[in-house]
């Protein structure tokens, strides 16, 4: 079957879902899920996107906000539609949260600007609440705050267990959700520019490899978020490692267990879609480039299949990339990695599958040398990679466009049939006109 045939077949499978959403009247601009698909105003939504953790931090300095505007402009011109970034900076230098419940309004105004600019350029945001790592504070900072209040905590992993720490974290969630945007005048929890919230960037709990600790924590926090915000999607921030719920799948992991479980964690009712990260150059650093690509193919295939058949939820590849700091690096190798991720996403999407997009790590604009980490993409400096990104955006846009057109045609036929059924009895059963 050719590509057009596949697209039409997939579209027909989705049309019924689209019509249901139209009947429910959910044309409010929020991205939602229906089965294994993201939906926007009744049509499937696919995300070609990027990570830019630095957006709030840079925007907190009004003299540097042009860099945020520039990166959104460049992203939009390449068809990128989703950005993932931090809604946290805990303690330390220029924090968002000085101490539990005490906030730096200048930093919050930076995030206000980021959300407003994203809206201006038609880009949706995934906002993460906290870091697993020490960068920008993370779980270590929360644990230290609790220790300063007399709590005896033996591990940074007590972030997931201690009620005082969990109270600090919940308060941060509540503060972010109820933030009044000083630029747009819209509460964050009411703003459709935000596609989704993320509980944590790459949660790990090595002190409990069974996975129970993080399972309970995700369930508790997902319920808490949903009790305050039913508009937005929620994801856990997982890297995609398999755990004890499907032990036969643990052999797919890159050789370590960090206390998460891709299947069980994403089956929690409040989690709306699954995520995965992919860094073969980090996880298999001593392996050849060919071995890393083989791992990547298997890693993607397994998660796309499991999201579709076991989880029955959409899947986003929320981080992937290749560092120029790797031994023997070439732009060609990086483009191969991008091409592999993009091919797997597109192949699933055109068949109506669960893979809904990929977000590379990370996008910068010119004049940001201090933010370079080896994985950065500056579109003007990387023409071959930029071309791959733009092509993927175009292909996903064509899928969305076809699905939308077929949805409209199906709704027109349905309305015509209803109108015909309404008029026939009034005309004595005789059909009049066309």
């Amino acid at each position: 079957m050719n590509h057009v045939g596949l697209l039409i077949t997939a579209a027909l499978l989705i049309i019924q879902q689209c019509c249901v959403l139209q009947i429910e009247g959910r044309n409010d601009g929020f991205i939602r899920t229906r089965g294994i698909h993201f939906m926007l105003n009744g049509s499937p939504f696919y995300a070609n996107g990027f990570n830019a953790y630095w957006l709030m931090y840079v925007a907190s300095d009004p003299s540097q906000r042009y860099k945020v505007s520039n990166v959104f402009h460049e992203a939009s011109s390449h068809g990128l539609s989703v950005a993932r970034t931090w809604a946290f900076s805990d303690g330390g230098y220029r924090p968002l949260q000085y101490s539990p419940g005490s906030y730096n309004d200048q930093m919050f105004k930076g995030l206000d600007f980021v959300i407003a600019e994203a809206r201006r350029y038609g880009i949706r945001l995934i906002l993460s609440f906290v870091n697993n790592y020490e960068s920008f504070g993370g779980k270590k900072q929360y644990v230290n705050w609790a220790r300063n209040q007399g709590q005896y905590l033996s591990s940074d992993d007590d972030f997931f267990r201690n009620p005082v720490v969990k109270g600090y974290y919940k308060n941060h969630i509540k503060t972010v959700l109820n933030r009044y945007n000083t630029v747009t005048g819209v509460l964050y929890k009411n703003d459709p520019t935000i596609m989704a919230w993320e509980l944590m960037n790459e949660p790990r709990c090595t002190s409990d490899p069974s996975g129970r600790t993080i399972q309970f924590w995700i369930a508790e926090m997902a319920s808490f978020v949903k009790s305050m915000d039913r508009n937005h999607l929620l994801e856990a921030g997982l890297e995609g490692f398999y755990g004890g719920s499907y032990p036969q799948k643990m052999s797919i992991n890159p050789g370590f267990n960090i206390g998460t479980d891709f299947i069980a964690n994403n089956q929690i009712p409040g989690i709306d879609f699954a995520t995965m990260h992919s860094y073969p150059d980090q996880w298999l650093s001593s392996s050849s480039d060919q071995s890393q690509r083989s791992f990547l193919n298997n890693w993607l295939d397994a998660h796309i299949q499991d999201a579709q058949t076991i989880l029955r939820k959409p899947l986003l590849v929320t981080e992937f990339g290749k560092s120029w700091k790797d031994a023997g690096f070439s732009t060609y190798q990086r483009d191969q990695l991008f091409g592999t991720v993009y091919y797997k996403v597109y192949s699933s999407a055109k068949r109506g599958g669960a893979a809904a997009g990929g977000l590379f790590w990370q996008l910068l604009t010119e004049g940001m040398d201090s933010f370079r980490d080896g994985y950065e993409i500056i579109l003007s400096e990387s023409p071959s990679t930029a071309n791959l990104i733009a092509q993927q955006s175009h292909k996903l846009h064509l899928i969305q466009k076809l699905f939308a057109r077929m949805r409209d045609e199906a709704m027109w036929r349905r309305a015509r049939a209803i109108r015909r059924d309404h008029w026939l009895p009034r005309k004595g059963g005789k059909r009049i006109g066309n």
Side-chain angles (χ1 to χ4, degrees):
M1 185 182 294
N2 60 28
H3 284 192
V4 174
L6 285 170
L7 287 170
I8 291 173
T9 300
L12 290 172
L13 294 174
I14 298 173
I15 290 300
Q16 184 177 5
Q17 297 175 354
C18 296
C19 292
V20 169
L21 281 178
Q22 289 287 339
I23 292 169
E24 290 176 352
R26 290 188 168 184
N27 292 328
D28 52 9
F30 285 95
I31 295 174
R32 306 185 189 277
T33 60
R34 173 69 62 174
I36 60 173
H37 302 110
F38 290 120
M39 309 295 288
L40 174 60
N41 296 335
S43 294
F45 176 84
Y46 294 95
N48 200 30
F50 61 97
N51 285 270
Y53 73 90
W54 49 268
L55 291 171
M56 176 182 69
Y57 179 83
V58 170
S60 67
D61 181 350
S63 71
Q64 299 297 304
R65 288 180 178 175
Y66 71 92
K67 294 175 181 176
V68 173
S69 301
N70 286 351
V71 88
F72 280 149
H73 172 73
E74 293 160 12
S76 179
S77 69
H78 285 75
L80 294 167
S81 58
V82 174
R84 177 172 170 262
T85 192
W86 299 165
F88 62 81
S89 180
D90 303 307
Y93 177 67
R94 288 173 60 187
L96 171 63
Q97 189 174 194
Y98 291 114
S99 59
S102 176
Y103 286 87
N104 177 356
D105 198 55
Q106 187 60 34
M107 189 64 69
F108 243 139
K109 286 180 179 177
L111 189 54
D112 293 346
F113 177 82
V114 168
I115 295 170
E117 283 296 276
R119 174 194 285 188
R120 188 159 77 95
Y121 285 99
I123 292 174
R124 304 296 179 126
L125 297 172
I126 297 175
L127 297 182
S128 187
F129 289 130
V130 72
N131 206 357
N132 178 70
Y133 311 106
E134 291 185 37
S135 299
F136 294 90
K139 66 183 182 185
K140 183 181 185 69
Q141 179 63 74
Y142 276 86
V143 168
N144 285 338
W145 280 334
R147 284 184 178 135
N148 293 339
Q149 295 301 314
Q151 295 291 304
Y152 176 76
L153 304 175
S154 60
S155 165
D156 290 347
D157 285 349
D158 287 329
F159 174 90
F160 301 109
R161 294 182 281 254
N162 180 267
V164 172
V165 175
K166 289 193 288 185
Y168 292 160
Y169 174 71
K170 287 179 178 179
N171 183 70
H172 177 63
I173 292 174
K174 183 178 179 180
T175 301
V176 172
L177 265 56
N178 289 294
R179 168 70 180 182
Y180 172 85
N181 191 315
T182 57
V183 180
T184 65
V186 180
L187 296 179
Y188 285 12
K189 67 181 180 182
N190 295 331
D191 194 337
T193 307
I194 299 166
M195 172 182 174
W197 305 112
E198 178 178 277
L199 291 179
M200 174 181 259
N201 173 51
E202 298 187 345
R204 294 183 173 190
C205 185
T206 54
S207 64
D208 182 8
S210 74
R212 287 189 292 270
T213 295
I214 282 188
Q215 181 76 1
F216 293 145
W217 180 82
I218 292 174
E220 179 181 350
M221 298 308 165
S223 177
F224 181 75
V225 173
K226 292 295 186 178
S227 72
M228 291 184 292
D229 182 359
R230 305 296 296 186
N231 288 324
H232 290 101
L233 301 178
L234 179 67
E235 48 100 348
L238 298 171
E239 297 161 272
F241 302 117
Y242 289 96
S245 65
Y246 280 77
Q248 69 274 22
K249 292 182 178 290
M250 293 177 70
S251 62
I252 301 171
N253 291 344
F256 48 90
N257 181 0
I258 45 82
T260 59
D261 186 322
F262 176 73
I263 302 295
N265 297 161
N266 282 309
Q267 285 178 324
I268 291 170
I271 299 301
D272 296 299
F273 63 96
T275 65
M276 61 177 290
H277 296 179
S278 190
Y279 291 108
D281 63 338
Q282 288 185 25
W283 299 343
L284 304 171
S285 58
S286 60
S287 300
S288 67
D289 188 65
Q290 183 177 355
S291 296
Q292 291 176 14
R293 285 201 307 274
S294 177
F295 167 83
L296 175 63
N297 274 287
N298 293 335
W299 186 247
L300 292 166
D301 287 342
H303 287 79
I304 292 170
Q305 180 67 22
D306 291 339
Q308 183 157 335
T309 60
I310 300 176
L311 298 175
R312 299 296 299 166
K313 294 179 181 181
L315 172 71
L316 278 187
V317 186
T318 42
E319 286 190 31
F320 68 92
K322 185 172 180 61
S323 174
W324 53 259
K325 296 180 181 180
D326 297 340
F329 170 85
S330 70
T331 302
Y332 174 75
Q333 290 177 345
R334 183 177 67 194
D335 288 350
Q336 279 191 313
L337 181 140
F338 272 62
T340 298
V341 174
Y342 286 160
Y343 173 76
K344 295 292 186 181
V345 168
Y346 176 71
S347 296
S348 172
K350 75 182 181 183
R351 292 175 172 83
L359 284 63
F360 64 84
W361 184 281
Q362 62 160 329
L363 184 61
L364 300 179
T365 190
E366 294 177 0
M368 298 187 69
D369 288 350
S370 64
F371 291 87
R372 291 179 183 262
D373 61 359
Y375 291 89
E376 76 278 353
I377 300 294
I378 298 176
L379 295 168
S380 61
E381 295 180 2
S382 308
S384 61
T385 310
N387 187 49
L388 281 173
I389 292 167
Q391 287 178 359
Q392 179 75 352
S393 297
H394 179 67
K395 289 194 288 188
L396 293 180
H397 175 71
L398 289 180
I399 294 176
Q400 287 184 182
K401 193 174 179 181
L402 176 62
F403 287 166
R405 186 170 72 244
M406 296 190 72
R407 176 209 65 191
D408 292 343
E409 290 174 355
M411 291 182 66
W412 178 83
R413 287 194 297 270
R414 185 174 180 176
R416 190 167 181 264
I418 292 172
R419 187 169 63 248
R420 183 185 63 232
D421 293 343
H422 174 73
W423 279 100
L424 278 175
R426 298 177 63 179
K427 298 295 182 180
K430 295 180 181 179
R431 188 169 177 178
I432 306 297
N434 295 328

